[in-house]
């Protein structure tokens, strides 16, 4: 257990990816490993307040060494070239950010190249490399990685919903439910707005500008969370909603189309051509009016989500014992 493990992470960012990376650091240290966050840019006090409770020590730079294990989120695979000697584990928390961020970095490089000198090729495009191993967080990513010629076996590793959502958690059937529908205004809002006008009898609450405690307390009162947006990975808010005994109604874009990644009843996951106004309105009314019976249909996937932390601990033990 003397290996140094460094987890590359953007500083001061509060999204699902950085949280998963801090959770990994926390689990590794609780198992007796020596894990530190390696923040990708210099910032004074780089730890976001949300993640201070994970108590993962951090560094701003390291020397490349064969003794090091470096966890690289898929959004920062350009840093693989910076550490040729270290063992590198690419953790795919999303499939889409790999392409999006790689393309945006390439565009910036081309601009620099024209002015200065040919820029060193740093983007990772699955070149043969025995020091690189891949972990997938979703079935969708697993299927993508299986199309690539890789030097090492791929492995599953998924993050979990933070403990905050489990604090004083009521038993199913004992949540103080109201006629509230929540949504994430940053995702698929254009597809939801018309239902807000058509169904004014429900309280439509955006999950934004809230502390995490406010979000938890809101979800505990909510009957339905709607997300017709794109799911780049195993999205956090739908999982937080399930733990809070909230029903879900989603589209099928990204990981939400895979039952392994979002294992809710198929009838509550709509293809684009199924989103007729009458059908969606009827489904929303059905979910809200019959909440007590309908939530039973979500209980098996809720149980799966509630045990994700235990599974992550076991998976981390497996992944690091192999070394």
């Amino acid at each position: 257990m003397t290996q140094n493990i460094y987890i590359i992470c953007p500083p001061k960012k509060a999204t699902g990816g950085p949280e998963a990376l801090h959770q990994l650091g926390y689990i590794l240290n609780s198992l007796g490993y020596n894990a530190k966050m390696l923040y990708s840019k210099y910032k004074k006090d780089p730890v976001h307040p949300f993640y201070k409770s994970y108590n993962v020590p951090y560094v701003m730079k390291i020397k490349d060494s064969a003794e090091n294990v470096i966890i690289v989120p898929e959004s920062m695979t350009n840093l693989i070239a910076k550490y040729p000697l270290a063992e590198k584990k690419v953790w795919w928390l999303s499939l889409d950010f790999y392409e999006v961020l790689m393309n945006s970095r390439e565009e910036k490089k081309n601009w620099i190249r024209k002015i200065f000198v040919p820029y060193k090729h740093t983007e990772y495009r699955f070149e043969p490399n025995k020091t690189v191993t891949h972990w997938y967080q979703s079935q969708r990513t697993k299927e993508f990685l299986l199309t690539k010629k890789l030097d090492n076996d791929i492995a599953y590793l998924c993050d979990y919903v933070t403990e905050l959502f489990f604090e004083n958690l009521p038993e199913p059937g004992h949540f103080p439910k109201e006629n509230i529908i929540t949504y994430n205004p940053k995702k698929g809002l254009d597809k939801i707005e018309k239902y807000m006008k058509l169904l004014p009898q429900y309280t439509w609450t955006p999950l934004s500008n809230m502390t995490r405690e406010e979000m938890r307390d809101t979800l505990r009162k909510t009957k339905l969370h709607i997300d017709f947006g794109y799911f780049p990975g195993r999205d956090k808010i739908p999982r937080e909603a399930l733990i809070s005994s909230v029903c879900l109604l989603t589209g099928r874009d990204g990981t939400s189309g895979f039952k392994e990644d979002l294992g809710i009843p198929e009838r509550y996951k709509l293809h684009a051509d199924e989103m007729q106004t009458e059908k969606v309105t009827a489904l929303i009314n059905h979910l809200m009016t019959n909440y007590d019976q309908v939530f039973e249909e979500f209980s098996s996937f809720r149980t799966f989500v509630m045990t994700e932390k235990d599974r992550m601990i076991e998976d981390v033990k497996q992944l690091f014992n192999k070394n």
Side-chain angles (χ1 to χ4, degrees):
M1 288 202 185
T2 52
Q3 275 178 319
N4 292 315
I5 302 168
Y6 298 102
I7 302 166
I8 298 179
C9 185
K12 285 263 200 281
K13 254 211 160 109
T15 55
E19 175 148 56
L21 296 164
H22 284 84
Q23 288 176 341
L24 176 58
Y26 164 75
I27 286 175
L28 282 164
N29 288 333
S30 67
L31 292 172
Y33 290 92
N34 177 24
K36 294 185 173 83
M37 304 309 293
L38 170 56
Y39 287 111
S40 56
K41 285 185 187 138
Y42 180 77
K43 274 218 167 133
K44 200 176 168 210
D45 190 19
V47 188
H48 192 281
F50 285 0
Y51 310 137
K52 287 191 190 286
S53 61
Y54 291 113
N55 288 319
V56 187
Y58 68 86
V59 293
M60 294 297 195
K61 59 180 182 195
I62 57 166
K63 272 193 181 143
D64 186 30
S65 158
E67 303 293 300
N68 294 341
V69 176
I70 300 180
I71 317 292
V72 186
E74 88 298 327
S75 58
M76 302 169 96
T77 46
N78 58 310
L79 297 176
I80 287 175
K82 195 175 174 181
Y83 305 105
L85 301 174
E87 215 178 298
K88 292 159 293 283
K89 314 285 187 188
V90 181
W91 192 13
W92 292 79
L93 295 161
S94 146
L95 196 47
D96 309 274
F97 293 138
Y98 166 68
E99 285 285 345
V100 168
L101 292 166
M102 183 165 70
N103 292 339
S104 100
R105 285 191 297 261
E106 281 289 305
E107 279 167 27
K108 286 174 191 164
K109 275 185 205 165
N110 293 341
W111 177 79
I112 293 167
R113 186 184 288 143
K114 283 172 194 163
I115 300 174
F116 297 105
V117 288
Y119 203 80
K120 190 175 172 236
H121 171 73
T122 55
E123 294 299 343
Y124 173 72
R125 291 183 172 79
F126 296 93
E127 297 85 0
N129 190 332
K130 287 187 166 51
T131 66
V132 176
T133 306
H134 295 269
W135 300 338
Y136 58 90
Q137 185 232 31
S138 66
Q139 178 69 19
R140 177 175 174 246
T141 303
K142 179 185 181 180
E143 292 183 12
F144 165 77
L145 290 173
L146 289 172
T147 68
K148 304 293 177 188
K149 199 168 186 286
L150 302 172
D151 290 296
N152 297 306
D153 289 341
I154 62 174
Y156 174 76
L157 184 65
C158 184
D159 57 316
Y160 59 91
V161 172
T162 179
E163 264 88 358
L164 178 80
F165 285 85
F166 291 89
E167 283 173 13
N168 306 316
L169 189 69
E171 289 295 314
H174 293 274
F175 284 80
K177 294 298 180 187
E178 298 172 21
N179 274 339
I180 296 171
I181 300 174
T182 52
Y183 61 95
N184 180 353
K186 293 179 187 155
K187 276 183 78 193
L189 181 61
D190 53 322
K191 295 176 187 163
I192 294 173
E193 281 176 319
K194 66 172 154 187
Y195 301 106
M196 294 161 76
K197 292 193 183 83
L198 286 167
L199 299 166
Q201 66 269 41
Y202 305 124
T203 303
W204 294 79
T205 304
L207 294 175
S208 60
N209 303 320
M210 292 183 180
T211 66
R212 309 199 74 178
E213 288 78 10
E214 286 168 345
M215 188 156 149
R216 174 197 63 194
D217 297 343
T218 300
L219 285 170
R220 287 184 181 180
K221 294 185 290 190
T222 297
K223 288 185 179 175
L224 173 64
H225 178 72
I226 299 181
D227 188 339
F228 290 152
Y230 189 85
F231 281 59
R234 297 275 307 278
D235 285 26
K236 272 271 166 66
I237 293 177
R239 289 188 275 161
E240 291 164 352
L242 280 172
I243 282 168
S244 310
S245 283
V246 179
C247 298
L248 297 177
L249 184 61
T250 73
R252 285 181 177 270
D253 290 335
T255 59
S256 57
F258 291 77
K259 68 177 185 301
E260 297 90 343
D261 300 332
L262 188 67
I264 65 172
E266 294 294 309
R267 66 180 156 285
Y268 304 127
K269 291 159 71 166
L270 302 175
H271 287 285
D273 60 2
E274 292 179 294
M275 288 197 188
Q276 296 97 358
T277 306
E278 301 76 26
K279 176 169 184 162
V280 175
T281 306
L283 264 176
I284 293 171
N285 281 326
H286 169 69
L287 284 154
M288 294 297 282
T289 311
N290 306 293
Y291 165 80
D292 291 328
Q293 298 79 35
V294 171
F295 189 73
E296 291 296 311
E297 299 173 47
F298 291 83
S299 57
S300 67
F301 192 61
R302 177 181 192 254
T303 304
F304 178 82
V305 171
M306 289 188 76
T307 52
E308 280 174 336
K309 183 179 181 183
D310 294 339
R311 267 200 312 284
M312 185 175 180
I313 292 168
E314 290 309 309
D315 290 340
V316 168
K317 283 180 190 170
Q318 289 283 318
L319 292 171
F320 283 86
N321 283 345
K322 280 179 188 165
N323 299 323

